[in-house]
Amino acid sequence: LEQCQVETCVFGYSLFSSVPLTFALSSDVPVPPSYTLGPGDELKIEYYGNENLTKEGYITRTGTLHLPLLGPVTLAGLTFSEAETLISNKVKVELIGTSTFVTLGELRSINIYLLGSAYKPGAYTISALSTLTNALFATGGVDLNGSLRNIEVKRKGKTIQAFDFYDLVLKGDTSKDIRLEQGDTIFIPLRRNSAKIEGAISRGGLFEFKEGETIQDLINFGGGLNPYSKIQMSRIS
């Protein structure tokens, strides 16, 4: 948002002042055990014990991976942890005296949609490990009329998450920063309300606020008043 100056923009917009040239996540990002496998993910399987060999392969479009000496096993839809357990148990039962070590190699990409008051709305291809905030930062975030307080993630026609960006930037709360899945839509509605606070306050500026929030909430957004502050309020229709 190159046209957005910190002094005149609603708080939070300046975080999207530059757009990365790539949407790829670092290859060093650890894969959590809860990561759901799908077609296109690469697994590396090492046998050791009575059998010693290494196999690298991709999960096919049918959701299967061919295990050495054992044949295909269905892995799509399982978490990485579940797939590790399934492969380990199958090998121990069918290849007596052999154990396995399973790691993830190249990860698949997914397609998502960014719609509404987005800086660059459209369809994007991103890493399957990407979260909502990864996608927002990678695509430029919101436009100058978009809401930062009610960003929606829609999946199969239903809103599964409403994300308040202020929870992240003011509180460090990432609990609602969900991992995206194939076909998800990020919808950014228009901003409805904003208020300005300035003077003897830690962080003055223009802030977006939700229905039901109070002056105290606005003061909290600004980092609090100093002990000798007085409050004067005006409203512009």
Side-chain angles (χ1 to χ4, degrees):
L1 301 178
E2 296 179 357
Q3 70 274 40
C4 180
Q5 302 298 319
V6 174
E7 297 81 5
T8 58
C9 267
V10 173
F11 175 79
Y13 283 52
S14 60
L15 295 173
F16 304 109
S17 59
S18 61
V19 181
L21 298 177
T22 176
F23 304 143
L25 291 180
S26 170
S27 58
D28 297 330
V29 174
V31 178
S34 60
Y35 173 74
T36 302
L37 299 172
D41 284 325
E42 182 188 33
L43 275 76
K44 180 178 180 180
I45 303 170
E46 297 180 46
Y47 289 6
Y48 58 93
N50 288 343
E51 301 287 346
N52 291 277
L53 56 90
T54 299
K55 163 73 175 182
E56 295 179 2
Y58 291 89
I59 297 177
T60 67
R61 291 184 179 181
T62 60
T64 61
L65 177 73
H66 189 277
L67 294 180
L69 308 177
L70 296 176
V73 59
T74 300
L75 298 181
L78 299 180
T79 65
F80 179 58
S81 178
E82 291 170 339
E84 279 186 303
T85 301
L86 186 151
I87 293 170
S88 176
N89 290 341
K90 188 175 180 66
V91 169
K92 285 181 180 179
V93 170
E94 299 188 29
L95 298 175
I96 304 300
T98 301
S99 298
T100 58
F101 180 68
V102 182
T103 56
L104 268 169
E106 183 178 343
L107 301 182
R108 72 186 188 278
S109 297
I110 60 173
N111 297 314
I112 64 161
Y113 301 93
L114 182 65
L115 302 175
S117 296
Y119 178 58
K120 287 187 176 181
Y124 291 90
T125 300
I126 60 177
S127 164
L129 274 180
S130 298
T131 65
L132 169 59
T133 55
N134 292 149
L136 288 174
F137 282 116
T139 58
V142 303
D143 69 17
L144 294 181
N145 297 310
S147 172
L148 287 171
R149 308 285 315 274
N150 190 33
I151 300 170
E152 300 175 352
V153 177
K154 298 178 182 288
R155 185 172 295 163
K156 297 179 180 179
K158 296 181 179 180
T159 300
I160 64 164
Q161 188 68 283
F163 184 76
D164 186 340
F165 206 78
Y166 279 15
D167 286 343
L168 175 64
V169 295
L170 294 176
K171 303 175 186 177
D173 182 359
T174 61
S175 61
K176 293 186 178 180
D177 183 21
I178 64 172
R179 189 176 303 125
L180 300 175
E181 294 185 5
Q182 172 67 27
D184 280 355
T185 296
I186 300 172
F187 179 75
I188 303 174
L190 291 170
R191 184 181 70 254
R192 292 181 178 272
N193 303 298
S194 57
K196 189 174 185 178
I197 186 168
E198 55 187 357
I201 192 164
S202 301
R203 181 176 50 235
L206 191 62
F207 295 86
E208 180 181 355
F209 71 91
K210 296 179 179 179
E211 294 292 339
E213 290 184 330
T214 66
I215 292 177
Q216 184 60 57
D217 292 309
L218 185 60
I219 291 171
N220 292 340
F221 294 159
L225 302 174
N226 70 38
Y228 306 104
S229 299
K230 294 182 179 180
I231 298 175
Q232 178 178 335
M233 184 178 73
S234 60
R235 178 170 294 169
I236 301 175
S237 302

